[in-house]
């Protein structure tokens, strides 16, 4: 990528450092979208040997770019996000992606379409990790930061995304155990 185009793209992506999510860190501050994206990418790295049939480099790329639309809209929690919110975010994101030089524009558009379809093993892994990271973060945060609906949500969120994989199903089961323990200790 030409240096000026790279700097321009990085300036847009930097917004995710300031875009906060509804989750809190274990230290008591709002998590940023960039931190969430970093951790699901790290998760993909750590589980790569569990999915020898998958292109884990592609999963890593999906994890890195998955929330770039929030550069333009900010984070809207999944339980509050409407179809109109999703459409607005997608339109702004795809407009920006189209402005990127090739081959990045075409590659990113294809990755976003694959992620949305959730038909490939890679897209399924990415989406499970995206959901799982939110659950893990809630388990690490102070229970006082949870909204009322998050008690139920943290017990079930992402289970449907894990169903295709025994490994991810077991990981989700352990996360549920952690949630139950956290709630019981309160």
């Amino acid at each position: 990528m030409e240096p000026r185009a790279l700097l321009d793209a990085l300036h847009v992506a930097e917004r995710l450092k300031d875009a906060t999510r509804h989750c809190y860190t274990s230290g008591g501050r709002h998590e940023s979208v960039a931190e969430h994206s970093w951790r699901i990418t790290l998760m993909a790295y750590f589980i790569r040997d569990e999915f020898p049939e998958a292109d884990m480099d592609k999963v890593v790329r999906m994890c890195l770019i998955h929330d770039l639309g929030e550069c333009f809209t900010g984070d809207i929690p999944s339980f509050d996000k409407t179809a109109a919110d999703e459409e607005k975010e997608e339109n702004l994101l795809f407009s920006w992606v189209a402005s990127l030089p090739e081959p990045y524009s075409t590659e990113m558009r294809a990755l976003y379409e694959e992620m949305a379809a959730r038909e490939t093993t890679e897209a399924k892994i990415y989406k499970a990790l995206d959901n799982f990271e939110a659950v893990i973060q809630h388990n690490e945060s102070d229970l006082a930061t949870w909204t009322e609906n998050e008690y139920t949500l943290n017990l079930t969120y992402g289970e449907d995304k894990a169903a295709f994989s025994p490994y991810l199903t077991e990981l989700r089961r352990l996360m549920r155990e952690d949630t139950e323990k956290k709630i019981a200790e309160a």
Side-chain angles (χ1 to χ4, degrees):
M1 185 181 290
E2 188 269 327
R4 175 51 53 201
L6 174 61
L7 289 174
D8 291 346
L10 292 175
H11 292 321
V12 171
E14 189 272 343
R15 296 175 192 168
L16 293 184
K17 291 182 178 184
D18 286 325
T20 56
R21 293 170 50 86
H22 70 285
C23 296
Y24 286 80
T25 66
S26 59
R29 67 170 175 74
H30 275 284
E31 171 192 38
S32 75
V33 176
E35 291 166 319
H36 162 74
S37 295
W38 164 77
R39 187 148 78 164
I40 71 166
T41 304
L42 184 63
M43 291 166 71
Y45 170 76
F46 282 138
I47 69 166
R48 71 186 186 276
D49 293 339
E50 302 301 328
F51 296 93
E53 75 285 4
D55 179 349
M56 292 305 285
D57 179 59
K58 181 186 277 190
V59 176
V60 165
R61 285 181 278 140
M62 289 175 172
C63 293
L64 283 171
I65 70 168
H66 84 284
D67 272 342
L68 281 171
E70 294 181 11
C71 288
F72 309 103
T73 62
D75 177 65
I76 302 170
S78 61
F79 50 82
D80 288 336
K81 194 175 250 184
T82 66
D85 293 329
E86 289 178 10
E87 183 178 352
K88 177 182 178 183
E89 182 178 313
E90 184 177 291
N91 289 339
L92 291 166
L93 173 64
F94 283 173
S95 176
W96 177 69
V97 168
S99 76
L100 295 172
E102 291 299 339
Y104 305 99
S105 178
T106 299
E107 178 186 346
M108 286 177 74
R109 178 74 185 224
L111 285 170
Y112 283 121
E113 289 171 0
E114 183 176 342
M115 291 157 63
R118 282 191 227 139
E119 294 173 353
T120 64
T121 299
E122 291 80 6
K124 290 175 184 178
I125 294 168
Y126 135 73
K127 191 58 184 176
L129 297 180
D130 185 29
N131 284 190
F132 287 8
E133 199 283 330
V135 173
I136 294 167
Q137 190 60 58
H138 276 84
N139 283 342
E140 293 168 341
S141 67
D142 191 306
L143 205 55
T145 66
W146 291 24
T147 60
E148 187 176 320
N149 66 330
E150 289 172 327
Y151 286 82
T152 302
L153 192 62
N154 225 54
L155 292 169
T156 60
Y157 193 57
E159 284 182 351
D160 58 330
K161 310 303 186 309
F164 79 99
S165 162
Y167 178 83
L168 292 176
T169 298
E170 174 62 10
L171 180 59
R172 183 60 185 96
R173 186 189 67 75
L174 292 170
M175 292 161 45
R176 182 184 179 103
E177 280 183 11
D178 291 349
T179 299
E180 290 169 342
K181 181 179 176 185
K182 183 177 194 71
I183 292 170
E185 291 174 352

